[in-house]
Amino acid sequence: QVQLVESGGGLVQAGGSLRLSCAASERTFSTYTMGWFRQAPGKEREFVAAISRYGTVTYYLDSVKGRFTISRDNAKNTGYLQMNNLKPEDTAVYYCAAKADISDVRSVIKYDYWGQGTQVTVSS
């Protein structure tokens, strides 16, 4: 059972940056695909980005390409989401998640483990 804990959320003005972290409880973190999702009030949880177990392959939601960067440090059992040029529409609770394989990385229901979420608020 992998436990995930997000941190790094907060309030930022449009155009600003935040770096989210996702700390995993186990050394086996390196065997999991990691994803970031977000959920805005009244909306469904949506895929934001994903990274393969060794960081060689990444996936992004079209609207965040060029602004967000997903990365991981398996030696620290930690994943990251660097968010630049933030927009008000990026406001949401951001969740990290982990799954055992690389298939269907954009699907919420395919992930086995979830963090508790961290709030990101972007003011205009």
Side-chain angles (χ1 to χ4, degrees):
Q1 182 96 8
V2 177
Q3 293 182 331
L4 304 172
V5 179
E6 303 96 335
S7 61
L11 173 64
V12 64
Q13 290 187 332
S17 298
L18 284 173
R19 188 195 196 200
L20 305 183
S21 298
C22 175
S25 61
E26 295 189 0
R27 297 177 185 175
T28 55
F29 174 69
S30 64
T31 66
Y32 291 92
T33 294
M34 188 190 76
W36 286 96
F37 291 77
R38 66 187 181 187
Q39 189 166 17
K43 295 188 177 181
E44 293 186 353
R45 191 169 300 189
E46 69 171 352
F47 168 80
V48 175
I51 188 167
S52 60
R53 60 182 67 180
Y54 296 119
T56 54
V57 183
T58 57
Y59 308 81
Y60 293 97
L61 178 68
D62 284 347
S63 62
V64 308
K65 283 181 181 177
R67 300 189 298 122
F68 291 12
T69 302
I70 189 171
S71 62
R72 65 192 299 163
D73 185 341
N74 288 339
K76 296 181 178 180
N77 295 334
T78 302
Y80 306 96
L81 185 68
Q82 176 68 45
M83 305 186 295
N84 298 329
N85 190 21
L86 282 159
K87 303 177 180 181
E89 52 264 42
D90 295 319
T91 295
V93 176
Y94 283 70
Y95 299 89
C96 69
K99 66 193 302 292
D101 58 52
I102 196 67
S103 64
D104 299 320
V105 297
R106 300 173 187 273
S107 175
V108 171
I109 64 173
K110 297 294 186 178
Y111 283 78
D112 302 304
Y113 305 103
W114 291 86
Q116 83 289 349
T118 185
Q119 177 71 47
V120 171
T121 303
V122 185
S123 63
S124 57

